[in-house]
Amino acid sequence: MDHIISIRDFSRERLDHILDTAQRIGDNQYDARALSGKILGLLFFEPSTRTRMSFETAMARLGGACISIDCVEASSIVKGETLADTIRVISGYADAIVLRHPKEGAARLASEFATVPVINAGDGAGQHPSQTMLDLFTIRQSMPLEQVDVGLLGDLRYGRTAHSLAYALSLYDVNLHTIAPKGLELPPNVVQELRSRKMKVREHSSIEEVIRDLDVLYVTRIQRERFPDTASYYGVASSYRITPELLEGVRERLIILHPLPRVDEIDPRVDALPYARYFEQARNAVPVRMALLLEVMK
Amino acid sequence: MSENSHQKGLIIRPITNGTVIDHITAGEALNVLKILGITGTTTESISVATNVTSPRIGRKDIVKIENRELRQDEVDRIALIAPQATINIIRECAVHNKKGVTIPPLLKGVIRCPNPGCISNTKEPIISSFEVTRKGLQCTYCDWLITKDIANHII
Ligand SMILES: [Zn+2]
């Protein structure tokens, strides 16, 4: 049975296969009744409206139906029942389960108890593989994943979105540039692992020194609670803000991505520039999740 | 009996039935006892020798436990902190079985995940699971990597 738990479980071949399917779906080459009669169980133990809506949309576009418990109902379950039991019960109702849960490793646990495929839609600070796939997909739409310079900017220490993406990119011919404030750098063991996978990783402390050498800039949120006081947060956040002025003289094919929602990381004036691809990235959630649903239920 | 031979006698005093754990990394004997759940309140008869000279590993610790043969999961735990240890099962004063220890590729129920956000630290009906890799011990559930002070995480 195919579970989608962690991006680490994927080979390049399997990722390419899913992205190729997503590409065909994006070009409207798909059977809108492919999952007719199938039921998807959505178990969201913490709110993530967009992820849930994009899975609901993906299922509807393939002719299937959804059943769900929302996080209010789920929170009452959390008090009484183990996740293992909930998963065993919902396995009897649905043909696949999408799980979002606050505990790391929850999706791995679910896959041990489910009798249907489990798709991880985020487990705590842990994995969120469909996000990584749509990030990859958005890059691949703009350029082949060959000799690409990708910059990861923001909180690279706690931001697991960035870790997952870096790991997935290490399967391709990509040079990685990390740009993080002091104390929020990519953990040394992650850097070491990427290098052991033959990836070139260069660490930078300022965005100005590297912005002109990038094909992709992936911006993530820097969270206020990582800083001792508001003033030091604003000091750091403003020096990592993406503005039209910063983007003067960049490579023509540069694309800027952000998993959204953004706060102050990207100046709204950047939205009108050709580099801004974060709304396209958000839209790609649907074809990529359609491809995943087909992968596990066909 | 001289004082010297008396001490030597204490260290090597044979046991009739039980287990002798030899070649323990010097200084780890007390951790071995901790792993085996041996505390001041348990009833086993135990001898512990620490920092004994060993031609093989320089300094070593030795633990002897009377009337107890170790289970495989206990041996696996010892391997984590004393990879060169040898386990001698003694029956009727003779070595019945002698073996080294090996760290299994997957440790089930041996290590508690240090990540408070990990699903394995909840009431779920699972036991902890760690993969043994070159880099350290990695939680099967949350990917947390333990690279040092392994003894502190042993259940
Ligand atoms: Zn864990």
Side-chain angles (χ1 to χ4, degrees):
Chain A
M1 193 164 28
D2 281 337
H3 300 290
I4 312 282
I5 305 299
S6 162
I7 203 76
R8 289 166 171 275
D9 301 335
F10 284 81
S11 65
R12 178 176 168 163
E13 289 66 32
R14 188 153 175 240
L15 270 180
D16 282 339
H17 168 73
I18 291 169
L19 300 182
D20 290 343
T21 307
Q23 186 63 58
R24 282 195 298 278
I25 292 168
D27 296 338
N28 274 320
Q29 295 169 33
Y30 67 94
D31 174 5
R33 303 194 50 78
L35 296 183
S36 160
K38 300 277 188 187
I39 292 173
L40 181 64
L42 297 164
L43 303 184
F44 278 62
F45 288 83
E46 61 179 17
S48 180
T49 312
R50 287 179 203 188
T51 305
R52 200 174 86 175
M53 285 177 72
S54 67
F55 272 109
E56 286 170 345
T57 308
M59 195 61 183
R61 291 227 183 274
L62 291 167
C66 292
I67 54 172
S68 65
I69 44 174
D70 66 29
C71 53
V72 180
E73 293 159 338
S75 67
S76 69
I77 291 176
V78 170
K79 293 187 191 91
E81 194 181 45
T82 61
L83 176 61
D85 281 3
T86 307
I87 292 292
R88 283 192 272 226
V89 171
I90 305 301
S91 279
Y93 303 162
D95 298 291
I97 291 172
V98 174
L99 176 71
R100 175 128 181 155
H101 196 277
K103 288 286 180 184
E104 288 170 59
R108 184 77 65 197
L109 172 141
S111 72
E112 292 172 7
F113 291 92
T115 52
V116 297
V118 174
I119 299 175
N120 186 3
D123 51 355
Q127 299 284 338
H128 191 358
S130 62
Q131 175 70 47
T132 304
M133 287 176 198
L134 74 91
D135 296 341
L136 268 187
F137 181 72
T138 310
I139 299 172
R140 224 182 63 151
Q141 268 186 330
S142 293
M143 63 194 84
L145 283 163
E146 284 158 27
Q147 298 188 359
V148 176
D149 284 284
V150 178
L152 297 178
L153 175 110
D155 175 357
L156 306 185
R157 179 168 177 196
Y158 301 99
R160 294 282 283 268
T161 314
H163 299 184
S164 292
L165 180 59
Y167 188 84
L169 289 170
S170 73
L171 299 171
Y172 297 89
D173 179 13
V174 165
N175 294 323
L176 194 72
H177 301 266
T178 65
I179 309 124
K182 202 168 167 35
L184 297 179
E185 296 96 344
L186 205 57
N189 67 309
V190 176
V191 174
Q192 201 189 335
E193 180 170 8
L194 293 171
R195 285 187 175 141
S196 75
R197 302 172 66 85
K198 307 269 184 284
M199 191 182 214
K200 276 200 199 115
V201 184
R202 252 172 281 168
E203 297 173 82
H204 308 266
S205 55
S206 92
I207 176 68
E208 287 83 3
E209 71 179 65
V210 68
I211 187 72
R212 281 166 198 83
D213 301 324
L214 298 179
D215 302 304
V216 178
L217 176 62
Y218 193 95
V219 184
T220 62
R221 186 117 44 96
I222 295 172
Q223 288 180 326
R224 195 170 312 194
E225 45 286 17
R226 306 288 180 215
F227 293 87
D229 54 73
T230 312
S232 56
Y233 160 74
Y234 278 114
V236 168
S238 64
S239 70
Y240 286 84
R241 188 171 154 87
I242 309 303
T243 60
E245 294 73 31
L246 175 77
L247 296 171
E248 277 168 29
V250 296
R251 289 183 185 168
E252 201 179 329
R253 71 168 179 173
L254 174 72
I255 60 172
I256 300 171
L257 306 181
H258 189 300
L260 300 181
R262 65 175 153 172
V263 183
D264 296 317
E265 302 87 34
I266 303 176
D267 188 321
R269 291 178 298 149
V270 173
D271 301 355
L273 300 177
Y275 317 116
R277 297 295 168 85
Y278 25 91
F279 295 118
E280 202 174 308
Q281 179 188 7
R283 237 183 350 258
N284 284 338
V286 174
V288 168
R289 288 178 175 141
M290 286 168 76
L292 279 180
L293 294 176
L294 284 174
E295 173 83 0
V296 302
M297 279 188 278
K298 274 294 261 187
Chain B
M1 193 187 277
S2 75
E3 188 61 42
N4 195 33
S5 67
H6 177 67
Q7 276 185 351
K8 195 178 175 201
L10 265 181
I11 291 167
I12 60 163
R13 183 172 63 89
I15 57 176
T16 312
N17 290 299
T19 305
V20 176
I21 310 164
D22 199 355
H23 300 108
I24 299 168
T25 314
E28 294 290 345
L30 295 179
N31 279 326
V32 168
L33 294 182
K34 193 178 131 199
I35 288 169
L36 298 177
I38 294 166
T39 65
T41 59
T42 43
T43 56
E44 288 103 334
S45 177
I46 314 284
S47 325
V48 177
T50 63
N51 286 318
V52 179
T53 310
S54 159
R56 201 173 112 199
I57 61 172
R59 297 253 163 203
K60 66 174 182 180
D61 290 2
I62 305 169
V63 169
K64 297 180 188 182
I65 311 156
E66 281 188 57
N67 300 320
R68 175 163 165 188
E69 295 186 5
L70 299 191
R71 297 188 313 265
Q72 188 57 45
D73 65 302
E74 293 172 323
V75 174
D76 290 348
R77 285 171 168 78
I78 291 167
L80 282 176
I81 57 164
Q84 292 173 301
T86 47
I87 312 274
N88 300 280
I89 305 290
I90 311 293
R91 287 183 192 163
E92 307 290 330
C93 294
V95 177
H96 169 73
N97 183 359
K98 178 176 182 141
K99 60 184 174 187
V101 296
T102 49
I103 302 174
L106 194 66
L107 296 163
K108 285 268 189 191
V110 173
I111 299 285
R112 179 170 290 111
C113 184
N115 176 4
C118 178
I119 194 81
S120 71
N121 288 321
T122 63
K123 60 176 182 168
E124 296 294 331
I126 49 169
I127 54 171
S128 89
S129 172
F130 275 78
E131 207 177 310
V132 179
T133 70
R134 273 185 303 113
K135 294 177 292 169
L137 307 179
Q138 190 155 35
C139 177
T140 305
Y141 292 97
C142 75
D143 292 337
W144 190 283
L145 191 64
I146 302 175
T147 54
K148 53 180 189 229
D149 301 330
I150 287 168
N152 293 337
H153 303 296
I154 293 174
I155 295 170

